[in-house]
Amino acid sequence: MDIPAFHQALTDHIPPSRLITDAARRFALGTDASFYRMTPQLIVQIDSEAELLIVLEQARRFLVPLTFRAAGTSLSGQAVTDSVLVMLTSNWRGCRIEPLGERVHLQPGLIGAQANRKLAYFGRKIGPDPASINACQIGGIIANNASGMCCGTRHNSYHTLAGMRLVLADGGVLDSLDPDSVRAFRRSHARLLKGISDLSLRLNRSSELAERVRHKYRLKNTTGYGLNALLDFEDPIDILTHLMVGSEGTLGFVSEVSLNTVPDWPHRASVMVGFDNLSHCAETVSQLKAAPVDAVELLDSRAVRAVAHMDGLPAFARRLPDPGGLLLLDVRGETLEQLDLHCQAVQAVLDSAGVNHSTGFTRDKRRIDAFWTLRKGTFPAVGAHRAVGTTAVIEDVAFPVERLAEGVATLQALFDRHGYEEAIIFGHALEGNLHFVFTQGFDDPSEVRRYEAFMADVADAITGTLGGSLKAEHGTGRNMAPFVEQEWGKDAYKLMKALKKLFDPQGLLNPGVIINDDPQAHLQHLKLMPQADRLVDACIECGFCEPVCPSRELTLTPRQRISLHREMQRQRREEGLADGWQDRFDHQAVDSCAATGLCEAQCPVGINTGELVLKLRAERNHRYTRLARAMGRHYAALASITRAGLWTARSMQRLTGPQRLERWSGAVRKLSGGRTPLWLSTLPGPARPVYAPNRTTRPSDREVLVYWASCVSQTFGAALDDQNRSSLPASVLSVLRKAGLNVVMPQPTRGLCCGQPFQSKGHFSIAEQQRQELVDELWEISSGGRFPVLADTSPCSLRVREAASERGIQFYDSVDFIDRFLLDRLHIEPDPQRVAVHTTCSVQRQGIASNLARVLDRLTPDWVQPDGMACCGFAGDKGFTQPELNASALRGLGDAVSGCAYGISTSRTCEIGLSRHSGLTYLSLFEVLDRLSQPREETAAV
């Protein structure tokens, strides 16, 4: 293995920016969701299949092992390596849907949930539905034969496979849906196909082994290679493509997959039922097998207690005895009538089974969501409350449904025997598939020995008397590789080794995964979780946060920031921080973080990585505290200076042209090493500040509204190319007059700020002082909270909302104010044009995205929201100081909104970046409402 020579050979074909050798970044990007830690010596980010072929060619030449990585949400160690990690760029997100949506062609970099959103128009979805579907990518779904709560075995990746384009270790390419490709492959790879046919014949001739394989795949099973392909198909091409499913990147690379989709019925009902003992529960599950039920989830009594603090848990669940448990059932229907029939059929089964406790079926979406939030909260409940320094281990096993109660009892007994008192069990009961979660430390040899003994006992129990599978849906990985032969037996294991040798004779593809003859392999490279900071110590490194992070393709994601921070804290305590790591961390983790907090909503344990970043900024920016305090005291003057600067920039734009000025600014920025801001072509000119009328309010006044115009909306006016655009405060006041409302505004308007500019730089005390001054003013002018307060900028609303609510102020963002008060007070003529929409981070975090959707449906019914752009990355001033963050977050925006007339947002700074990268003009929600609305003769009372 000669990785330096391999790296050098790639430099002629792949840009250096996609050949990552920096030690700190290799450590961060090498992290996945498993409890294994291996740091790659080189990371290669490939842009195309052509680049992949080059990588494979040089790997064969220099005997360099490769591991392919999709999203890194896999749990069993199949996506880590100490050799070369091959990752995908954003160019691998293609999706092509056939007419009627019954088949879809997907590239491996597309997130599973994104595929489903594209298929929703047809009322279809992909079959696999793993719990990580909002983060995991198609490549990982196929590589691990993912399933989930609803798909069982019938709709998993294997059974919904329609075709595949793949690349083998020798560089051979096969597109199974292209007859020309198939014919060429039959000629070029006749030896491989004959070897596959010979292995199929060998298995079919052994009736005992063949029956064992069939039995194993009546259960959910992802342990080892999919030997069922050798029985299910005769054509070696079909066998080959189905062997690739679940092969975890050890047999080849899937560059495109074609899946048959399944119906996504719109009507839904759920019921939660309780049992005093799991034997009764298991018997009921067996009877439900033939019922029209989509999902049956089991929680043992320990799992129920773990989520007892969450909303939605029925009272009877809190009184369950230790041997008891819950079942959560989901029923779907294409029509309401069909849903009724399905619910009746399932209820009949429950009645005949003599169910002890039941909530009854509910169709209320909020209550259904609460039920399923409870189910999904079981894993985080253990992960969030584990001891610092330990990790949450989740395993999944399966056994015949009739052995369900026995299986749960066996696992609980093993927990008690080995001292895992916090361990819980939950899972997909209809398939006999159970997950169990426990906490484990790997920093003490005695703890490793305890884990070793426990896993040995689990393997003996599952593969012995219970006749189950050690891996039902999480993949074999490194964790179960030493137990594959124990589960399958010597003959089946020989077949698997022969398959590996046939596909990958040099053993270069993901070595150590699935096939590993080292009985101690699962005890090597165990991930340590050292204490780093209370804000992030609960992180389980699952990667669920990554899809919403605007810096995910530029520097690091929240998971990677936390992982790197942990390692740096460990180094400081033990051997001292490695050279260069702090500088790289400052840029990649601190400076390039938008700190919008979107990651918190995706995180199963509720971590806001932005809070850590802001804390680190506070430590670094401490020397600027006096300057920040002075700026806070004279904020009105600062706003005036900013407007003067915008006036100067506007004058220069008139002389040179906006695009030329941006190019010149970019050249200066490059010469300064990125120290100077970028003057954007879409930079607005100055706005005229709003002077409020001197008007006092009395508690007896009616139709009164307090309008707080943010400093941003009073500072930024129209861009040079959009002089017909009015300022945001002017539009707001125009709409409020049409609605017949009496408006009062804080005095003095220009000197008030929510404190966000100071908060984002880590000056927390100054930011809090600014916020409290604003809230005090709003409290006074709203007559002690009697009159509602409207804020026109969503990031500022997010900053103030909680503090205002604590003071008893009725505080509204522009989104929920329009939705609640204005739509019925105005005559609105909807705009028939297609319009692009950006739902800002602050709207999402305030929980008012649904309000925005209702408003848009009234104003611009033909609106589109580009997928995969949760945050624009402008982040206040980062669009000027870190413009590459904004550019990375909005890559592809122009194509996504082509054909749109204009865009809509609720943050003036976000609109600057959105306009720049889309070619459209983005307007505020109030500006659009002003254009489309007229007064009504009669208006509803506020």
Side-chain angles (χ1 to χ4, degrees), residues 788-792 797 801 810-814 816-817 820-821:
V789 176
L790 164 66
D792 61 9
S797 302
R801 182 184 286 267
Q810 305 172 61
F811 189 86
Y812 296 93
D813 181 78
S814 59
D816 51 346
F817 186 86
R820 181 168 181 178
F821 298 124

Side-chain angles (χ1 to χ4, degrees), residues 73 75 111-113 127-136 141 146-151 220 297 372 375-380 394 426 428 433 435 473-474 542-544 602 604:
T73 58
L75 297 164
I111 292 173
D129 62 335
S132 59
I133 196 166
N134 289 321
C136 66
I141 289 174
S147 49
M149 287 187 283
C150 296
C151 83
K220 291 178 78 171
E297 294 293 300
W372 289 92
R375 159 60 184 85
K376 294 175 182 178
T378 47
F379 177 35
I394 179 170
F426 58 91
H428 320 316
N433 173 200
H435 303 313
E473 58 182 10
H474 291 172
C542 63
F544 286 12
Q602 305 299 315

Side-chain angles (χ1 to χ4, degrees), residues 136-207:
C136 66
Q137 295 174 357
I138 295 297
I141 289 174
I142 301 303
N144 293 291
N145 192 19
S147 49
M149 287 187 283
C150 296
C151 83
T153 55
R154 187 162 55 101
H155 291 153
N156 64 13
S157 305
Y158 179 93
H159 287 292
T160 58
L161 182 68
M164 181 183 291
R165 184 176 175 88
L166 57 90
V167 183
L168 297 178
D170 64 359
V173 178
L174 168 66
D175 186 339
S176 68
L177 295 181
D178 180 354
D180 291 337
S181 175
V182 172
R183 280 193 293 270
F185 191 85
R186 289 189 192 277
R187 290 193 301 268
S188 64
H189 287 73
R191 184 165 174 249
L192 171 67
L193 296 178
K194 184 179 184 304
I196 292 173
S197 295
D198 289 345
L199 291 175
S200 174
L201 184 62
R202 178 171 150 191
L203 176 56
N204 276 280
R205 284 177 174 171
S206 175
S207 58

